[in-house]
């Protein structure tokens, strides 16, 4: 049998057993190794020996990005310093940069489950993987590289940007898989077509990291390059880095590595579990991480669990694509809404562009009103507006459970940004 990086166990029960064992170990290890964790556990009145079942995770205190920032430069370190073999830093979009330490075993574990990503994407040792993400203190490049080599495919450490070189590599090395952001993927796809080199390259798969790729974007990339598959790879520096899951070839959600971490989906307000299948904040607890274990770390990222068995038959559970950050949550007529949910609904509708705005107003009647302003597609026809508006309003109502006025505007009339565009305009006091 071929070498595999998938878990040894086959049943859900075995997975839960492994999780409980890992949870017990993590709490004991963090309590022994880190004075910060010891203090947090003390304050919560819980000792490592109080963990008897997976439900006992709810007794444990939360860890936040604040805990990581306060402990700068080596927060929550739970092993002696001589056991640390590497550090990585997050790009720090908000506040101070977070630095994470790794032991030799942490690096081994990361390489192992990153190799699993390539296996999930059904690559083989014949594949040639062009890694067009940033190398450096960030976890991206080195993670993709390590996983690729562990898996046994050929890594081409290209780094980001530099279209001339990327195109040259695609032709000369006959790259079969490319790892990059979705934006970079789109640029590559357009560049390949502009240069008329599509019949000289051998690219079959793309793996997108760090940003959510919309359906519209994926479709355009796939069409331009004639790809077999495109995958989304999640990851954050706090949790090793990229590679903590991947969608399989059925693309019905992201399989996450539940043998390395427990994923709870909680209501960001009450911090209680949401009903199965509903959107909430991802809270992660590591099961094997040595240098900086995470106990109920609030990621602020929103998603939902996908129940049932995947067509691929994997025992590894699935979560949906990330829907945005809990910090961006809007409360509208007592319903919690995330901009990513609107994005998700719109990406499933034909005839519109990728740009939109959500405008919230409070009118004289004291009620809140929502307007969703959306661009028509590039070749959009105004005559179709009525029908399109009805369709969008219907889908919003069905999927997000709120009513809004839909306004359609010309393609390219909403502002664009290379960085994150402002999409929500809340005019209520
Ligand atoms: Zn699957």
């Amino acid at each position: 049998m071929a070498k595999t990086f998938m878990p040894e166990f086959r049943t859900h029960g075995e997975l839960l057993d492994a999780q409980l064992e890992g949870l017990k170990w993590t709490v004991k290890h963090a309590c022994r190794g880190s004075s910060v964790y010891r203090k947090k556990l003390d304050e919560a009145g819980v000792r490592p020996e109080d963990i008897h079942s997976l439900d006992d995770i709810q007794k444990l205190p939360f860890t936040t990005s604040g805990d990581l920032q306060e402990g700068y430069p080596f927060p929550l370190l739970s092993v002696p310093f001589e056991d640390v073999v590497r550090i990585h830093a997050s790009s720090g979009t908000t506040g101070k940069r977070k630095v994470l330490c790794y032991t030799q075993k942490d690096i081994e574990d990361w390489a192992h489950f990153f190799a699993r990503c390539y296996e999930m994407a059904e690559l083989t040792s014949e594949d040639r993987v062009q890694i067009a993400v940033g190398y450096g203190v960030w976890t991206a490049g080195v993670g993709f590289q390590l996983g690729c080599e562990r898996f046994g495919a050929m890594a081409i450490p290209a780094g980001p940007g530099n279209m001339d070189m990327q195109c040259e590599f695609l032709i000369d090395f006959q790259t079969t898989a490319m790892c990059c952001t979705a934006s970079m993927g789109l640029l590559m796809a357009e560049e390949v077509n502009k240069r008329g080199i599509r019949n000289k390259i051998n690219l079959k798969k793309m793996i997108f990291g760090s940003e959510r790729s919309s359906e519209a974007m994926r479709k355009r990339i796939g069409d331009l390059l004639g790809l077999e598959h495109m995958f989304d790879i999640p990851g954050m520096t706090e949790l090793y880095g990229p590679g903590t899951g991947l969608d399989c070839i059925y693309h019905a959600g992201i399989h996450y590595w539940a043998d390395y971490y427990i994923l709870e989906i909680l209501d960001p307000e009450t911090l209680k579990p949401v009903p199965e299948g509903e959107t909430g904040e991802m809270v992660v607890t590591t099961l094997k991480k040595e240098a900086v274990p995470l106990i109920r770390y609030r990621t602020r990222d929103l998603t939902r669990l996908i129940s049932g068995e995947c067509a691929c038959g994997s025992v590894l559970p699935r979560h949906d694509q990330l829907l945005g950050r809990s910090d961006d949550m809007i409360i509208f007529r007592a319903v919690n809404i995330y901009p990513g949910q609107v994005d998700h609904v719109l990406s499933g509708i034909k005839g519109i562009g990728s740009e939109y705005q959500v405008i919230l107003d409070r009118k004289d009647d004291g009620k809140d009103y929502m307007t969703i302003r959306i661009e028509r597609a590039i070749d959009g026809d105004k005559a179709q507006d009525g029908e399109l508006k009805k369709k969008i309003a219907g889908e919003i109502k069905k999927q997000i459970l709120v009513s809004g006025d839909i306004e359609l505007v010309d393609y390219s009339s909403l502002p664009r940004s290379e960085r994150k565009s402002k999409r929500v305009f809340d005019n209520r006091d």
Side-chain angles (χ1 to χ4, degrees), residues 120 248-250 255 310-314 318:
M120 189 61 95
C248 66
I249 58 158
Y250 294 96
H255 288 281
C310 182
C312 74
S314 172
R318 291 169 293 158

Side-chain angles (χ1 to χ4, degrees), residues 98-231:
K98 294 168 205 142
V99 179
L100 279 300
C101 294
Y102 298 69
T103 65
Q104 190 77 62
K105 181 177 178 291
D106 292 337
I107 297 288
E108 283 291 314
D109 285 350
W110 187 20
H112 181 86
F113 70 66
F114 210 129
R116 180 186 293 174
C117 293
Y118 295 111
E119 183 175 342
M120 189 61 95
E122 300 196 354
L123 267 62
T124 72
S125 55
E126 300 286 313
D127 273 288
R128 299 159 180 205
V129 186
Q130 194 157 323
I131 300 168
V133 300
Y135 281 76
V137 77
W138 327 123
T139 48
V142 67
F144 280 94
Q145 176 88 24
L146 209 61
C148 182
E149 289 169 357
R150 176 65 56 94
F151 177 69
M154 183 179 92
I156 305 166
N162 200 342
M163 288 300 158
D164 285 340
M165 186 188 74
Q166 303 287 359
C167 289
E168 201 180 305
F169 286 0
L170 286 180
I171 297 170
D172 294 355
F173 304 145
Q174 290 292 291
T175 303
T176 54
M178 188 157 176
C179 307
C180 55
T181 63
S183 309
M184 168 98 179
L186 184 59
L187 284 175
M188 281 304 305
E190 287 172 341
E191 196 65 31
V192 162
N193 276 266
K194 204 162 76 191
R195 295 176 186 224
I197 55 171
R198 187 169 145 183
N199 60 357
K200 293 187 181 150
I201 67 171
N202 194 25
L203 195 60
K204 295 184 171 70
K205 289 171 184 171
M206 271 186 160
I207 298 176
F208 300 131
S210 40
E211 59 174 354
R212 219 174 78 80
S213 58
S214 73
E215 277 309 310
M217 206 168 182
R218 276 167 170 267
K219 186 169 182 327
R220 182 149 170 80
I221 299 169
D223 288 349
L224 282 171
L225 291 170
L227 297 176
E228 287 169 10
H229 288 286
M230 286 165 283
F231 303 92

Side-chain angles (χ1 to χ4, degrees), residues 408-427:
L408 292 170
V409 297
D410 284 339
Y411 182 79
S412 201
S413 62
L414 295 179
R416 277 148 169 75
S417 165
E418 283 182 22
R419 302 179 54 156
K420 207 175 150 195
S421 304
K422 183 173 165 61
R423 300 204 183 278
V424 177
F425 298 84
D426 194 345
N427 305 321

Side-chain angles (χ1 to χ4, degrees), residues 262-276:
I262 291 173
L263 176 60
E264 293 175 272
I265 306 287
L266 305 182
D267 182 317
E269 300 284 300
T270 65
L271 297 177
K272 297 280 175 238
V274 299
E276 196 176 338

Side-chain angles (χ1 to χ4, degrees), residues 29 33-34 76-84 101 103 290-293:
H29 170 72
S34 156
L76 302 178
L77 187 62
S78 303
V79 296
F81 210 82
E82 68 260 30
D83 291 348
V84 175
C101 294
T103 65
E290 290 184 339
V292 186

Side-chain angles (χ1 to χ4, degrees), residues 282-318:
M282 301 174 79
V283 173
V284 295
T285 301
T286 57
L287 301 173
K288 302 181 182 191
K289 207 160 173 272
E290 290 184 339
V292 186
L294 296 178
I295 294 179
R296 304 193 91 193
Y297 179 68
R298 296 190 57 187
T299 67
R300 306 279 169 179
D301 284 324
L302 298 163
T303 192
R304 61 184 191 96
L305 291 178
I306 296 175
S307 54
E309 199 181 321
C310 182
C312 74
S314 172
V315 68
L316 292 161
R318 291 169 293 158

